[in-house]
Amino acid sequence: SAVISQKPSRDICQRGTSLTIQCQVDSQVTMMFWYRQQPGQSLTLIATANQGSEATYESGFVIDKFPISRPNLTFSTLTVSNMSPEDSSIYLCSVADRVYGYTFGSGTRLTVV
Amino acid sequence: ELKVEQNPLFLSMQEGKNYTIYCNYSTTSDRLYWYRQDPGKSLESLFVLLSNGAVKQEGRLMASLDTKARLSTLHITAAVHDLSATYFCAVENTGNQFYFGTGTSLTVIP
């Protein structure tokens, strides 16, 4: 299955600042997905990122708050902008793998203070 | 939007006992996945169920899929402490997007 390197693994940020999370995949993939997992909760899809086009955002998530880049078929970034304590969550990227089920990055644990 | 519900949300069981976790979903899908998440960790793929009637087993865990009932089950046989984790089902829609269940937090008590 694909191997995803996600960084940073964790960060503590001041409110009002922005954090960019990176995911690097060891193979070319058409779609990458970004999820948020709030403390004690399930995963919620933020957006789907295709190379060469704008990301598609789920209801409740907007590009101004969570801009996404997808410059090539192996890399994507998610930025959490103008952070508030409510943004404290784990953020995960994922790629489709029909054999093993979708593969997830190791996650970024974000704490906003 | 596709809805995925799991029950129970919390499960405390004694070692050696059997139990089943249920996953119901709201719309047609032929692809269902089960994941395990340990505290502070990412998700580990357990099972991929791709057709009606699919059954897969790995160790003490067995997963099944009934697409007509829109139901999947994860059965635990003779639980051991190492199985303590949170288990998620996830359903894939036609746009290759995943929708996760609410999760079942399993604690196996010696």
Side-chain angles (χ1 to χ4, degrees), chain A residues 31 33 35 37 42-43 45 48 58 92 98-102 104-106 109, chain B residues 31 33 35 37 40 42-43 45 48 88 92 95-102:
Chain A
M31 290 191 287
F33 305 90
Y35 289 87
Q37 186 177 26
S42 184
L43 283 77
L45 180 64
T48 303
E58 296 297 301
L92 300 106
R98 291 298 180 86
V99 175
Y100 297 100
Y102 286 50
F104 288 82
S106 52
R109 183 179 294 271
Chain B
R31 296 180 180 274
Y33 305 81
Y35 288 87
Q37 187 178 37
S42 188
L43 280 80
S45 176
V48 180
F88 292 97
E92 180 182 355
N96 302 126
Q97 295 163 321
F98 256 25
Y99 294 90
F100 280 83
T102 46

Side-chain angles (χ1 to χ4, degrees), chain B residues 1 13-14 17 22 26 33 35 37 39 44 51 58-59 68 71 96 101 105 107:
Chain B
E1 181 180 308
M13 57 190 298
Q14 285 190 312
K17 298 293 187 182
Y22 296 89
S26 64
Y33 305 81
Y35 288 87
Q37 187 178 37
E44 172 191 356
S51 61
E58 181 73 31
K68 294 179 181 178
L71 170 69
N96 302 126
S105 177
T107 302

Side-chain angles (χ1 to χ4, degrees), chain B residues 4-6 21-25 32 34 70-72 89 91:
Chain B
V4 185
E5 294 183 346
Q6 276 179 248
I21 299 170
Y22 296 89
C23 174
N24 290 90
Y25 52 99
L32 190 134
W34 283 95
R70 298 178 185 171
L71 170 69
S72 179
C89 63
V91 179

Side-chain angles (χ1 to χ4, degrees), chain A residues 5 10 13 19 27 30 32 37 48 51 54 58 66 73 77 84 100 111:
Chain A
S5 298
R10 59 178 63 228
C13 300
L19 176 72
S27 58
T30 303
M32 293 181 71
Q37 186 177 26
T48 303
Q51 193 268 335
E54 280 200 3
E58 296 297 301
F66 297 101
L73 291 173
T77 67
S84 66
Y100 297 100
T111 303

Side-chain angles (χ1 to χ4, degrees), chain A residues 11-70:
Chain A
D11 208 341
I12 301 173
C13 300
Q14 296 289 325
R15 66 176 68 199
T17 62
S18 298
L19 176 72
T20 295
I21 302 166
Q22 300 179 3
C23 275
Q24 178 76 51
V25 189
D26 68 345
S27 58
Q28 293 185 336
V29 292
T30 303
M31 290 191 287
M32 293 181 71
F33 305 90
W34 287 96
Y35 289 87
R36 180 175 73 183
Q37 186 177 26
Q38 294 176 303
Q41 303 292 315
S42 184
L43 283 77
T44 301
L45 180 64
I46 298 172
T48 303
N50 291 322
Q51 193 268 335
S53 62
E54 280 200 3
T56 302
Y57 289 82
E58 296 297 301
S59 175
F61 298 96
V62 295
I63 189 172
D64 290 344
K65 176 68 175 177
F66 297 101
I68 288 172
S69 78
R70 185 81 204 276

